[in-house]
Amino acid sequence: MTNKQVLVAGASVAGNTVAWWLARYGFAVTVVERAASFRDGGQNVDVRGVARQVLRRMGLEQAALALHTGERGTDWVDERDQVLARFAVEDIGAEGPTAELEIMRGDMARLIYEPARAHATYRFGDSIAAVAQDAAGALVTFASGQQARYDLVVVAEGVGSATRELLFAGENRPRYLDLTLAFFDIPQQAGDSEFARQYNTVGGRGVTLKPGRDGRLHVYIGVHKRAAGENKWDEARQKQFICEQFAHDGWEIPRILEGLAATDNFYFDVFRQVRLPRWATGRVVLTGDAAWCPTGLSGVGTSLAIAGGYVLAGELAKTDDYPAAFAAYERVMRPFVQEGQSFPKPFIRLLWPHTRLGLWLLRGAMRLAGRPTLRKLFAKLYLRDSNKIALPDYPVVTAPPRA
Ligand SMILES: Cc1cc2nc3c(=O)[nH]c(=O)nc-3n(C[C@H](O)[C@H](O)[C@H](O)COP(=O)(O)OP(=O)(O)OC[C@H]3O[C@@H](n4cnc5c(N)ncnc54)[C@H](O)[C@@H]3O)c2cc1C
């Protein structure tokens, strides 16, 4: 398939990774991104297990480690900010609530985007409106009205992918995790911990505060509740929703809500897994969150996106038979995706208690889980296995950068 024309939709972690590898294998790659320019924002994401290996193979692992947020571990705290349980990276290693490679989403996406754009053509401010497939290829009509033919189309548009809804209509059976969360950052203050702090209170409400090296404190804040379409609201309404949920709370909440009003780096989601029986239809294939979003709770969403991009490109580089390549990609990735999506719902309820009794039980459980003998067991329960699959080897990368 090398030398063939491939369109990638979405210029975030998954889209840039697949573009990077496809271009190196000699495919002619165009990336179309809906946003008017490259999207830098977002908060901390983890890169774990096989995704670290992919970055190593791209020669980007050291650069990624240099962008590490500096987070030393995770503390569960109460309203007086007393530590109930500590999971330090130095005690439990990479497979704890804090990954060895914690990095800002924008830094991770840009780290791959910069070398990828030397090899691929990027078009911002446009998106796919229609795809018509025939034996010779896929005719893509863009929202701008332009048309172009491609041999293959890779959809890496994230959890809410419109092209997935267009071409796989009715196939996604989302699994809602009953969590609605906002992500943003606020100014750091003297005395802020180098550990992430996890705070829960009654009403299914919780907050994670994560330190950064950028003078910012990164906030995840939200509530355990049935989804009610909040992801479709505009940003002002989403911010208002969070303010109303936490209006009367203590701890760090007043400072967080003040920062929320001022932030322009705001991401909001109703946690829902994307579950599809297939990831390809004809010449169109899905990857990253568009194919299998495991949600931020899994700790492996970004790792899956990186691994998926590598495997998809590698399988396409091996053969001219694209249906066989798509099938092989799915065979390799499915077990990792299933692992990433396997977070048990009762565990979520336990971690986001509604009642005083539930909160008391959670705090008791965390005190136990933080004991040296139980820390690793808790981490195993809490985390998905980021080394679930053996990473295949693919052909040696050859193609030079495009002019
Ligand atoms: C701005 C931003 C901030 C984020 N912040 C966080 C965070 O704080 N915490 C967290 O856990 N996860 C966050 N995420 C999600 C996280 O990046 C993903 O869960 C994970 O890295 C997998 O990445 P992905 O490339 O599959 O999807 P995403 O990172 O969601 O990227 C999808 C890309 O496709 C683009 N796109 C969407 N629709 C179209 C379309 N129709 N045509 C063309 N392009 C399209 C989007 O603009 C985006 O660039 C954020 C994503 C974005 C885009």
Side-chain angles (χ1 to χ4, degrees):
M1 289 296 293
T2 49
N3 244 332
K4 296 279 163 74
Q5 302 280 337
V6 183
L7 176 69
V8 176
S12 182
V13 178
N16 290 326
T17 306
V18 77
W20 191 101
W21 284 101
L22 285 172
R24 295 299 194 291
Y25 290 136
F27 291 81
V29 182
T30 302
V31 182
V32 62
E33 161 62 49
R34 187 176 58 182
S37 58
F38 179 75
R39 297 180 76 180
D40 276 299
Q43 309 304 324
N44 315 44
V45 293
D46 304 344
V47 179
R48 298 176 186 267
V50 291
R52 285 276 295 274
Q53 285 181 49
V54 174
L55 289 183
R56 202 167 304 144
R57 291 177 192 191
M58 295 167 88
L60 295 176
E61 188 188 23
Q62 289 313 314
L65 284 167
L67 293 167
H68 188 282
T69 61
E71 181 177 311
R72 294 181 49 207
T74 300
D75 287 339
W76 255 261
V77 301
D78 64 12
E79 43 282 316
R80 286 172 299 158
D81 215 34
Q82 282 189 340
V83 177
L84 308 170
R86 168 160 287 187
F87 301 91
V89 173
E90 66 195 39
D91 292 335
I92 54 173
E95 294 303 301
T98 296
E100 224 171 25
L101 178 46
E102 290 264 337
I103 185 168
M104 304 312 295
R105 188 216 69 100
D107 286 347
M108 188 67 257
R110 185 172 277 283
L111 190 67
I112 305 172
Y113 163 65
E114 292 295 353
R117 73 177 170 149
H119 296 254
T121 305
Y122 277 73
R123 276 181 46 201
F124 290 93
D126 209 352
S127 58
I128 296 173
V131 182
Q133 303 192 54
D134 56 33
L139 176 65
V140 176
T141 306
F142 293 94
S144 60
Q146 283 186 37
Q147 284 193 322
R149 285 192 80 83
Y150 299 93
D151 295 291
L152 300 170
V153 178
V154 179
V155 178
E157 297 174 354
V159 61
S161 171
T163 307
R164 180 193 65 224
E165 295 309 301
L166 189 70
L167 299 179
F168 297 78
E171 290 186 38
N172 179 22
R173 297 259 177 274
R175 178 180 180 234
Y176 284 86
L177 299 185
D178 302 336
L179 281 177
T180 296
L181 287 173
F183 303 75
F184 53 95
D185 51 75
I186 64 174
Q188 259 174 30
Q189 285 180 358
D192 279 341
S193 174
E194 290 176 310
F195 284 75
R197 282 178 289 162
Q198 174 68 41
Y199 166 77
N200 290 85
T201 185
V202 292
R205 295 168 305 135
V207 183
T208 313
L209 292 180
K210 284 177 156 281
R213 287 195 195 278
D214 50 359
R216 311 290 295 172
L217 192 60
H218 303 273
V219 183
Y220 309 174
I221 183 167
V223 58
H224 179 263
K225 70 178 281 295
R226 281 263 171 87
E230 294 87 347
N231 51 309
K232 304 232 164 67
W233 295 351
D234 66 23
E235 192 173 303
R237 192 166 168 206
Q238 290 168 343
K239 285 185 173 179
Q240 179 64 25
F241 169 78
I242 294 293
C243 284
E244 284 165 5
Q245 295 292 323
F246 290 87
H248 306 293
D249 286 276
W251 187 61
E252 300 273 20
I253 304 289
R255 170 189 172 199
I256 291 169
L257 296 187
E258 202 175 299
L260 171 64
T263 189
D264 57 3
N265 181 10
F266 183 77
Y267 182 76
F268 183 96
D269 210 2
V270 165
F271 275 16
R272 59 209 188 278
Q273 295 176 343
V274 171
R275 293 183 163 216
L276 287 154
R278 57 175 186 161
W279 296 331
T281 175
R283 296 170 179 273
V284 182
V285 63
L286 304 171
T287 198
D289 276 2
W292 55 61
C293 177
T295 81
L297 203 61
S298 71
V300 292
T302 299
S303 301
L304 275 166
I306 293 171
Y310 168 80
V311 172
L312 177 57
E315 294 298 337
L316 285 167
K318 261 169 55 179
T319 174
D320 277 346
D321 181 353
Y322 67 84
F326 290 166
Y329 154 66
E330 185 162 345
R331 253 193 325 276
V332 175
M333 288 304 295
R334 273 284 175 199
F336 193 11
V337 168
Q338 276 160 359
E339 169 68 17
Q341 294 190 334
S342 64
F343 211 98
K345 268 190 157 185
F347 198 35
I348 299 172
R349 233 197 128 77
L350 178 74
L351 288 171
W352 295 75
H354 285 255
T355 61
R356 294 219 162 271
L357 175 65
L359 187 61
W360 181 79
L361 285 171
L362 170 70
R363 290 182 174 172
M366 291 319 302
R367 282 193 187 93
L368 279 177
R371 296 217 171 136
T373 45
L374 293 176
R375 273 188 214 131
K376 284 204 169 164
L377 178 69
F378 169 76
K380 227 178 162 52
L381 271 173
Y382 186 74
L383 278 177
R384 306 306 94 205
D385 179 4
S386 58
N387 285 298
K388 182 72 187 173
I389 56 169
L391 208 59
D393 290 320
Y394 293 117
V396 174
V397 176
T398 49
R402 278 160 203 279

